[in-house]
Amino acid sequence: MSSQLKILRIYAKMDDVAITKLPPTVYFSHTQHTLTIFDAYPKALFHFLILPRLRVTSTAANDDATAPDGSARARAQAASTLRALADAAARLRGEIEREMEARYGFVWDIWVGFHAVPSMEHLHVHVISSDLTAPALKTKRHYNSFSPRTGFFVPLVEVRSWFADHSDQFAKTARLAPEEYEPRLKDALVCFRCGETVKNMPALKKHLQDEFDALRKRQVGKLKRKRESEAESEFASDSHPSDGGGGGSGGGHKSTGKTARAKGEGEDTQRKT
């Protein structure tokens, strides 16, 4: 178990050659400053972890990002680390959204943030789609650790805002006390979309799937009506042709499958993302 808790730090210490030799079920992409991997136990259709690489950012800098002491140097190091994570998350978000469009016909929310009390060593940010319908979502702790209603999942944008605060509030806020956040994992199972309280995990999983299916139906229908309206407008304009020419291939996005894991369980879209 202890080796599993340290696996992220092992990945973070790898050089470029070692990183690219990671299994395709683990590795997604990397930059000079960050490494993006598939979550080993995805809690949603798309679920990734982004880590700061230790060969570029020192261990002390990463420790500062998780437990800043309020000094100007520590805050500057932590802010730099968070900026690199935010840049990587923004690029990843674009790739996920393209894959959502290709596979599901619409784009839904993507959450980017930290667990207030991480379950593994080494700083890492979760990038996860807001459906929470993957098979690995099995327990109350799993669900409440991501539900926006509990506050256990802290958005990256919120954490970055702490570094713009030059008051004493920074030191108070940036140190997330386990005794304050751990009890939130035991909160009642409340749907983050509609607010309904559900009695157990099987009922919650069915409820979340029903909610997601309904969302997909609404959004795909809305997009279909929009395309039909645009097609009618285009047809009407064809009655008065201009020299615009053009054309294009039409149709939706073609799936690259890049954000789908190389192996998985259940649907291919539920692969370790």
Side-chain angles (χ1 to χ4, degrees):
M1 175 62 74
S2 60
S3 61
Q4 283 299 106
L5 294 178
K6 297 179 180 179
I7 191 65
L8 298 186
R9 186 170 291 276
I10 293 172
Y11 291 157
K13 291 180 178 179
M14 290 180 172
D15 60 22
D16 288 347
V17 174
I19 279 179
T20 55
K21 291 181 180 179
L22 285 170
T25 53
V26 174
Y27 174 79
F28 182 78
S29 67
H30 74 281
T31 68
Q32 182 184 9
H33 300 281
T34 62
L35 168 64
T36 300
I37 62 174
F38 293 96
D39 191 285
Y41 302 97
K43 305 305 187 294
L45 295 177
F46 299 88
H47 190 178
F48 297 83
L49 303 180
I50 305 178
L51 330 174
R53 296 178 66 186
L54 290 180
R55 78 180 182 90
V56 174
T57 307
S58 71
T59 302
N62 283 283
D63 289 342
D64 287 336
T66 54
D69 61 13
S71 71
R73 181 172 179 273
R75 290 173 63 169
Q77 289 175 325
S80 177
T81 298
L82 293 172
R83 182 166 56 250
L85 293 174
D87 290 345
R91 291 190 295 272
L92 177 58
R93 179 191 293 273
E95 296 203 50
I96 293 175
E97 288 178 344
R98 286 189 289 275
E99 196 70 20
M100 286 176 166
E101 179 71 24
R103 290 174 175 269
Y104 295 93
F106 80 110
V107 172
W108 63 101
D109 289 344
I110 298 168
W111 298 332
V112 179
F114 303 94
H115 281 156
V117 184
S119 59
M120 300 182 72
E121 293 184 10
H122 191 65
L123 181 69
H124 58 282
V125 62
H126 291 265
V127 180
I128 182 170
S129 56
S130 62
D131 49 88
L132 302 183
T133 58
L137 186 85
K138 296 179 178 180
T139 69
K140 177 183 283 191
R141 288 180 64 91
H142 290 164
Y143 176 71
N144 282 334
S145 70
F146 288 103
S147 172
R149 290 180 174 271
T150 66
F152 190 87
F153 188 79
V154 186
L156 174 57
V157 66
E158 179 180 335
V159 175
R160 294 189 72 190
S161 73
W162 299 344
F163 292 83
D165 186 350
H166 298 287
S167 69
D168 292 340
Q169 184 62 28
F170 170 81
K172 296 177 182 177
T173 306
R175 293 185 181 276
L176 303 178
E179 60 271 19
E180 176 184 348
Y181 286 89
E182 283 281 5
R184 304 184 188 193
L185 297 176
K186 299 178 182 180
D187 285 358
L189 296 172
V190 180
C191 175
F192 69 89
R193 292 190 190 278
C194 69
E196 179 178 337
T197 299
V198 185
K199 61 182 179 179
N200 54 41
M201 280 303 297
L204 176 68
K205 287 177 71 68
K206 181 181 184 304
H207 179 87
L208 292 175
Q209 187 64 58
D210 289 346
E211 288 275 341
F212 178 71
D213 291 343
L215 174 66
R216 182 182 184 184
K217 184 177 180 180
R218 289 195 304 272
Q219 295 301 316
V220 171
K222 185 185 299 183
L223 291 170
K224 181 180 179 181
R225 291 190 294 273
K226 180 180 178 181
R227 286 194 294 267
E228 289 173 346
S229 176
E230 291 172 347
E232 290 174 0
S233 298
E234 184 177 349
F235 178 78
S237 67
D238 284 345
S239 302
H240 307 282
S242 66
D243 59 356
S249 60
H253 292 283
K254 183 180 291 185
S255 171
T256 63
K258 186 176 180 184
T259 56
R261 194 176 168 134
K263 84 169 184 183
E265 43 191 61
E267 296 184 42
D268 60 350
T269 51
Q270 293 176 341
R271 295 173 182 174
K272 208 169 178 184
T273 46

PDB file of all heavy atoms in Angstrom, residues 7 45 75 92 146 180 200 241 261:
ATOM      1  N   ILE A   7       3.560   6.332  -5.676  1.00  0.00           N
ATOM      2  CA  ILE A   7       3.764   6.131  -7.107  1.00  0.00           C
ATOM      3  C   ILE A   7       3.773   7.440  -7.888  1.00  0.00           C
ATOM      4  O   ILE A   7       4.519   7.593  -8.863  1.00  0.00           O
ATOM      5  CB  ILE A   7       2.700   5.153  -7.684  1.00  0.00           C
ATOM      6  CG1 ILE A   7       3.074   4.730  -9.109  1.00  0.00           C
ATOM      7  CG2 ILE A   7       1.319   5.776  -7.638  1.00  0.00           C
ATOM      8  CD1 ILE A   7       4.338   3.920  -9.191  1.00  0.00           C
ATOM      9  N   LEU A  45     -16.366   9.524 -16.668  1.00  0.00           N
ATOM     10  CA  LEU A  45     -16.024   9.096 -18.019  1.00  0.00           C
ATOM     11  C   LEU A  45     -14.658   9.611 -18.457  1.00  0.00           C
ATOM     12  O   LEU A  45     -13.964   8.979 -19.246  1.00  0.00           O
ATOM     13  CB  LEU A  45     -17.107   9.575 -18.998  1.00  0.00           C
ATOM     14  CG  LEU A  45     -18.494   8.959 -18.786  1.00  0.00           C
ATOM     15  CD1 LEU A  45     -19.502   9.554 -19.745  1.00  0.00           C
ATOM     16  CD2 LEU A  45     -18.444   7.440 -18.949  1.00  0.00           C
ATOM     17  N   ARG A  75       5.572  31.465  -1.404  1.00  0.00           N
ATOM     18  CA  ARG A  75       4.362  31.768  -2.158  1.00  0.00           C
ATOM     19  C   ARG A  75       4.656  31.894  -3.645  1.00  0.00           C
ATOM     20  O   ARG A  75       3.867  31.456  -4.488  1.00  0.00           O
ATOM     21  CB  ARG A  75       3.715  33.034  -1.609  1.00  0.00           C
ATOM     22  CG  ARG A  75       3.101  32.821  -0.234  1.00  0.00           C
ATOM     23  CD  ARG A  75       2.613  34.101   0.406  1.00  0.00           C
ATOM     24  NE  ARG A  75       1.554  34.732  -0.346  1.00  0.00           N
ATOM     25  CZ  ARG A  75       0.818  35.740   0.114  1.00  0.00           C
ATOM     26  NH1 ARG A  75       1.047  36.215   1.325  1.00  0.00           N
ATOM     27  NH2 ARG A  75      -0.137  36.275  -0.609  1.00  0.00           N
ATOM     28  N   LEU A  92      -5.563  20.252 -21.563  1.00  0.00           N
ATOM     29  CA  LEU A  92      -6.260  18.974 -21.430  1.00  0.00           C
ATOM     30  C   LEU A  92      -7.764  19.157 -21.577  1.00  0.00           C
ATOM     31  O   LEU A  92      -8.450  18.345 -22.214  1.00  0.00           O
ATOM     32  CB  LEU A  92      -5.932  18.347 -20.073  1.00  0.00           C
ATOM     33  CG  LEU A  92      -6.628  17.029 -19.740  1.00  0.00           C
ATOM     34  CD1 LEU A  92      -6.319  15.965 -20.779  1.00  0.00           C
ATOM     35  CD2 LEU A  92      -6.212  16.564 -18.338  1.00  0.00           C
ATOM     36  N   PHE A 146     -15.660  14.294  -4.524  1.00  0.00           N
ATOM     37  CA  PHE A 146     -15.756  15.091  -5.749  1.00  0.00           C
ATOM     38  C   PHE A 146     -17.015  15.959  -5.814  1.00  0.00           C
ATOM     39  O   PHE A 146     -17.041  16.947  -6.552  1.00  0.00           O
ATOM     40  CB  PHE A 146     -15.716  14.186  -6.985  1.00  0.00           C
ATOM     41  CG  PHE A 146     -14.368  13.593  -7.245  1.00  0.00           C
ATOM     42  CD1 PHE A 146     -14.093  12.274  -6.925  1.00  0.00           C
ATOM     43  CD2 PHE A 146     -13.351  14.361  -7.795  1.00  0.00           C
ATOM     44  CE1 PHE A 146     -12.838  11.722  -7.146  1.00  0.00           C
ATOM     45  CE2 PHE A 146     -12.095  13.824  -8.028  1.00  0.00           C
ATOM     46  CZ  PHE A 146     -11.834  12.507  -7.703  1.00  0.00           C
ATOM     47  N   GLU A 180     -10.984  19.231   9.678  1.00  0.00           N
ATOM     48  CA  GLU A 180     -12.127  20.005   9.185  1.00  0.00           C
ATOM     49  C   GLU A 180     -12.758  19.353   7.965  1.00  0.00           C
ATOM     50  O   GLU A 180     -13.985  19.357   7.809  1.00  0.00           O
ATOM     51  CB  GLU A 180     -11.694  21.425   8.830  1.00  0.00           C
ATOM     52  CG  GLU A 180     -12.828  22.264   8.223  1.00  0.00           C
ATOM     53  CD  GLU A 180     -12.369  23.644   7.771  1.00  0.00           C
ATOM     54  OE1 GLU A 180     -11.241  24.042   8.118  1.00  0.00           O
ATOM     55  OE2 GLU A 180     -13.157  24.308   7.063  1.00  0.00           O
ATOM     56  N   ASN A 200     -28.508   5.140  -0.698  1.00  0.00           N
ATOM     57  CA  ASN A 200     -27.297   4.326  -0.720  1.00  0.00           C
ATOM     58  C   ASN A 200     -26.593   4.476  -2.067  1.00  0.00           C
ATOM     59  O   ASN A 200     -27.105   5.127  -2.990  1.00  0.00           O
ATOM     60  CB  ASN A 200     -27.606   2.848  -0.434  1.00  0.00           C
ATOM     61  CG  ASN A 200     -28.668   2.285  -1.375  1.00  0.00           C
ATOM     62  OD1 ASN A 200     -28.681   2.570  -2.572  1.00  0.00           O
ATOM     63  ND2 ASN A 200     -29.578   1.466  -0.828  1.00  0.00           N
ATOM     64  N   PRO A 241     -27.361  33.152 -54.321  1.00  0.00           N
ATOM     65  CA  PRO A 241     -25.951  32.773 -54.237  1.00  0.00           C
ATOM     66  C   PRO A 241     -25.016  33.963 -54.344  1.00  0.00           C
ATOM     67  O   PRO A 241     -25.292  34.924 -55.041  1.00  0.00           O
ATOM     68  CB  PRO A 241     -25.776  31.816 -55.421  1.00  0.00           C
ATOM     69  CG  PRO A 241     -26.851  32.206 -56.386  1.00  0.00           C
ATOM     70  CD  PRO A 241     -28.011  32.609 -55.534  1.00  0.00           C
ATOM     71  N   ARG A 261      -8.664   5.691 -22.587  1.00  0.00           N
ATOM     72  CA  ARG A 261      -7.531   4.898 -22.157  1.00  0.00           C
ATOM     73  C   ARG A 261      -7.315   3.686 -23.040  1.00  0.00           C
ATOM     74  O   ARG A 261      -8.225   3.158 -23.648  1.00  0.00           O
ATOM     75  CB  ARG A 261      -7.791   4.451 -20.722  1.00  0.00           C
ATOM     76  CG  ARG A 261      -6.582   3.903 -20.037  1.00  0.00           C
ATOM     77  CD  ARG A 261      -6.977   3.614 -18.627  1.00  0.00           C
ATOM     78  NE  ARG A 261      -5.933   2.823 -18.020  1.00  0.00           N
ATOM     79  CZ  ARG A 261      -5.446   3.076 -16.829  1.00  0.00           C
ATOM     80  NH1 ARG A 261      -5.924   4.071 -16.165  1.00  0.00           N
ATOM     81  NH2 ARG A 261      -4.527   2.331 -16.324  1.00  0.00           N
TER      82      ARG A 261
END
